[in-house]
Amino acid sequence: MYSGTIIEFEKGWKLLETGVSKITRILEEETTSETPVDPEQYLGIYTTIYNMCNQKHPYDYSQRLYHKYHDVVERYAKKTVLPSIQQKHDEYFLKELSRRWDHYKVFVKWLSNFFTYLERFFISQRNYPSLLEVAMKSFRDFVYLEVQANAKDVVIALIDKEREGGEIDRALLKNISDIFVQIGIGTIERYETDLEMFLLQHTASYYGRKASRWIQEDSCPEYMIKSEESLRKEKERVTHYLHSTTEPKLVEIVQKELLVSVAKQLHSGCIELLRDDDKMDDLSRMYRLFSPIPKGLEPVADVFRLHVTREGNALVKQAQDAATNGSVGEEQGLVGKIIDLHDKYMVYVTDCFQNHTLFHKALKEAFEIFCNKKVAERSSAELLANFCDNLLKKSGKSDEAIEATIDNVVKLLDYISDKDLFAEFYRKKLARRLLFDRKVNKEHEISILTKIKRLQGGQYTSKMEGMMTDMEVGKEFQKGFEGSLPAKPGGIDMAVTVLNSRFWPSYKTSSDINLPRDMLECVDAFTSYYGEKTRMRKLRWIYSLGTCHVIGRFDQKPIELVLSTYQAVVLCLFNNAERITYQEMIEQVNLSHEDLVRVLTSLSCAKYKILKKEPVSKTISTTDVFEFNSEFTNGMRRIRVSLPLVDDRKKVVEDVGFDRRHAVDASIVRIMKSRKVLPHQQLVSQCVEQLSRTFKPDIKLIKQRIEDLITREYLERDAENPQIFKYVA
């Protein structure tokens, strides 16, 4: 507290200088055996300054003390700090700068403690620079500006030494870096302009030279290992002795010199890495290196897409060549190979490329190219449907393996553009499995439909699901029918499956066929039962899908023959006659020529010759005569006599084409009903966008349907511009 006795400036300052001298001496001698200023001396100096600042005018020495503080720190910087630093060179220069910087901070700290009152009241009231700012300015003007250029050069030289594998004092560099930062007094502008800028320029030159040498000497994997290690070490340097804001700038320069500048060479190396199954670690490294670079992954993804496309095209060509040479195995195995290829490269996407969207997109685009190519005139949609059929009919695989394959099938379906064609082929195959395959696995059938539904929506699978439902309803009908019969009609066990025509593929009805009397009794019995249960529905019989178990009484032993209904009807003719001509047969059974030829081929020209044919040949003629082969025998007690398969691919394609015309019409009308007026190009593009989920519409087809809709007065052309269409309400 102020005592009231006037303290002359010289007297008070002399006491203060005693404390300053003691601090200076201790710092110069670097002794730690005593406290720089003991508490009593500190309190005396503090009180003196307090009193000198609180004396009445003209003895209020606050302003003079403020200037005197400036003189003290300036003198210490000029006379003590700077000369000592200038005597040193290279690393010793930095060490002395670091030591003197630490001393200067201690000196300023103690001096600021003495002048605390001045800081708290006089300076704050006048908005003068703080004591710390004054001290930092003095160090900057009389020390830093003299030594910073040399310090920067030595720092960069030491960093180069470390880059080349040498040992350096990181703590020393950290302290020097802090000088550049703190001298900015609240900003890092000095650090950026006096050190960082030069360091970044030098780093670019350094790694530019390294890149030129490494790309010539090293392989792609070796180059990337060195690049990744260089980036790691540069980040480590920032952590240990550079300012944190330097990291993104430093990393960007290293990336530019080591990666961007030689990107084409590395991308060429990426092709080799993809060809070698053991290079996944290197591909992961390439992803890590290029992912932080803006658009750095796009060329890598392009290389990946082109490589996968080449691999897939090679598989397709292999299957095409095999089909040309008459081999069926390669064609049937193509889908399995494509699934294996997808599994392989999906691992690359997930593990090497971290599920990045660019690589998912690249994989999808690659598979869309070769998954939509034909093999032996068979579309990819048909091949995939056939693959599903074989998969779901096999019982050798475990449930887990089948489910995994189903997942892959659904993935491939996403790549196929003609999804409507797949649906029709799949529905045909599903119908045969449900109707003829007793070992059909309901769980697997439901599983694949559920997954396809999740991909394509409920409308896509509605007919297939309806078929599954029909089979369950049909079982209930069969139970009711059997329970309603007092006796077997015609003495025959009869099972009927009722199909809803909305769900199932279209089949040729054959109600005009002349059935044997026993079969007719069965048909009449079920027709009567069904009419009582469902009066509003019309029953149509499709005998081409029927199966009959007939006992063939041959000379050596009776054999149970599993036949189609057509085959059974033809064989029953021989119960009443030994020899029958083709013409007599077609009149009696009332079958079409095509159907009868297929039946007779299976019975007389195929594996099991139940009938003898005159003349003997492998083709059926309208002049042939047939006789029951009583001498036929077989080691089995039951045999299945298969009909030659009918190639209905053409009909499926025609049906789908017909449906597509309706789909395009509906899409155009929906768009125009919403937009009212639309230019031709926009109408076509919107139509393609709407329909591409199911199939890729041909532009010519869209144009044809537009013209047809104009003819039918759904649309009209604008009177002034024929390229603009209007919706006719």
Side-chain angles (χ1 to χ4, degrees), residues 641-669:
V641 183
S642 301
L643 276 172
L645 294 176
V646 177
D647 188 0
D648 57 354
R649 283 186 297 148
K650 185 177 180 181
K651 184 177 184 305
V652 171
V653 173
E654 289 176 353
D655 290 345
V656 170
F658 182 77
D659 291 340
R660 284 182 178 182
R661 289 195 293 273
H662 286 297
V664 173
D665 287 353
S667 176
I668 293 171
V669 171

Side-chain angles (χ1 to χ4, degrees), residues 47-74:
T47 303
T48 299
I49 292 176
Y50 173 84
N51 290 335
M52 292 172 72
C53 291
N54 281 283
Q55 296 175 146
K56 294 183 179 180
H57 185 76
Y59 302 105
D60 178 0
Y61 298 120
S62 299
Q63 189 73 41
R64 290 186 65 185
L65 285 171
Y66 181 70
H67 289 300
K68 204 65 175 173
Y69 171 86
H70 183 278
D71 294 340
V72 170
V73 293
E74 182 179 309

Side-chain angles (χ1 to χ4, degrees), residues 367-428:
F367 272 77
E368 283 175 344
I369 292 173
F370 58 81
C371 280
N372 286 292
K373 291 189 174 182
K374 288 186 176 182
V375 178
E377 299 304 316
R378 294 181 183 271
S379 67
S380 55
E382 182 183 356
L383 293 177
L384 187 60
N386 291 342
F387 180 85
C388 293
D389 186 51
N390 292 330
L391 172 70
L392 295 169
K393 287 194 295 189
K394 287 181 179 178
S395 58
K397 286 188 175 183
S398 65
D399 289 345
E400 293 78 10
I402 291 177
E403 282 297 321
T405 308
I406 286 173
D407 289 336
N408 285 319
V409 164
V410 176
K411 290 175 185 175
L412 291 191
L413 176 60
D414 193 29
Y415 303 137
I416 291 176
S417 57
D418 295 332
K419 295 181 178 63
D420 55 345
L421 193 57
F422 167 82
E424 194 60 25
F425 276 118
Y426 185 90
R427 195 160 65 101
K428 287 272 188 180

Side-chain angles (χ1 to χ4, degrees), residues 485-590:
L485 295 175
K488 296 178 182 179
I492 299 174
D493 290 321
M494 180 184 183
V496 180
T497 303
V498 181
L499 311 180
N500 190 320
S501 59
R502 290 186 302 138
F503 303 140
W504 294 77
S506 59
Y507 297 106
K508 181 173 66 174
T509 58
S510 47
S511 55
D512 292 338
I513 186 175
N514 294 326
L515 297 176
R517 182 175 53 81
D518 294 341
M519 289 187 183
L520 277 175
E521 289 182 18
C522 294
V523 170
D524 292 341
F526 188 84
T527 302
S528 175
Y529 171 78
Y530 187 81
E532 293 175 359
K533 294 295 182 181
T534 55
R535 297 184 183 277
M536 300 301 293
R537 295 186 181 180
K538 182 180 179 181
L539 193 64
R540 292 183 299 163
W541 291 86
I542 306 175
Y543 298 120
S544 59
L545 298 180
T547 301
C548 295
H549 290 245
V550 176
I551 302 298
R553 303 193 181 279
F554 301 99
D555 292 344
Q556 292 193 20
K557 65 174 183 178
I559 300 175
E560 182 179 347
L561 305 175
V562 182
L563 309 167
S564 71
T565 303
Y566 287 177
Q567 290 171 319
V569 169
V570 170
L571 280 183
C572 285
L573 295 177
F574 291 90
N575 288 333
N576 303 317
E578 293 183 2
R579 290 168 58 86
I580 306 176
T581 66
Y582 176 89
Q583 292 298 336
E584 292 172 338
M585 198 176 294
I586 199 168
E587 291 173 4
Q588 291 183 45
V589 297
N590 197 29

Side-chain angles (χ1 to χ4, degrees), residues 164-183:
E164 294 297 330
E167 294 288 334
I168 64 170
D169 186 348
R170 286 181 163 182
L172 172 62
L173 290 192
K174 172 64 177 171
N175 210 22
I176 299 301
S177 176
D178 286 345
I179 296 174
F180 284 88
V181 173
Q182 294 180 31
I183 211 68

Side-chain angles (χ1 to χ4, degrees), residues 264-419:
K264 289 185 178 179
Q265 294 94 314
L266 294 179
H267 297 154
S268 298
C270 179
I271 297 174
E272 298 301 322
L273 298 179
L274 288 167
R275 289 174 181 167
D276 193 335
D277 294 341
D278 296 331
K279 298 297 183 182
M280 293 186 67
D281 289 343
D282 294 313
L283 287 170
S284 298
R285 184 174 292 108
M286 180 170 282
Y287 173 83
R288 291 196 300 271
L289 288 171
F290 282 95
S291 59
I293 301 173
K295 297 186 177 180
L297 289 176
E298 291 182 4
V300 182
D302 287 340
V303 171
F304 178 67
R305 175 177 53 80
L306 291 173
H307 174 77
V308 177
T309 303
R310 280 194 294 268
E311 293 270 297
N313 283 337
L315 292 178
V316 173
K317 187 177 185 305
Q318 183 182 2
Q320 288 172 338
D321 293 343
T324 303
N325 297 329
S327 174
V328 184
E330 284 293 329
E331 176 191 330
Q332 292 179 344
L334 175 62
V335 175
K337 291 180 179 179
I338 290 178
I339 286 175
D340 292 340
L341 190 72
H342 190 271
D343 284 343
K344 174 184 176 180
Y345 287 111
M346 184 55 74
V347 172
Y348 280 62
V349 172
T350 55
D351 293 355
C352 299
F353 305 129
Q354 301 298 304
N355 269 322
H356 196 284
T357 54
L358 269 177
F359 293 90
H360 276 289
K361 182 172 179 284
L363 188 69
K364 185 175 188 294
E365 289 175 351
F367 272 77
E368 283 175 344
I369 292 173
F370 58 81
C371 280
N372 286 292
K373 291 189 174 182
K374 288 186 176 182
V375 178
E377 299 304 316
R378 294 181 183 271
S379 67
S380 55
E382 182 183 356
L383 293 177
L384 187 60
N386 291 342
F387 180 85
C388 293
D389 186 51
N390 292 330
L391 172 70
L392 295 169
K393 287 194 295 189
K394 287 181 179 178
S395 58
K397 286 188 175 183
S398 65
D399 289 345
E400 293 78 10
I402 291 177
E403 282 297 321
T405 308
I406 286 173
D407 289 336
N408 285 319
V409 164
V410 176
K411 290 175 185 175
L412 291 191
L413 176 60
D414 193 29
Y415 303 137
I416 291 176
S417 57
D418 295 332
K419 295 181 178 63

Side-chain angles (χ1 to χ4, degrees), residues 140-158:
R140 181 193 67 197
D141 294 343
F142 300 106
V143 178
Y144 174 81
L145 292 178
E146 295 294 327
V147 303
Q148 61 90 9
N150 191 18
K152 169 259 298 179
D153 291 339
V154 178
V155 167
I156 292 175
L158 287 176

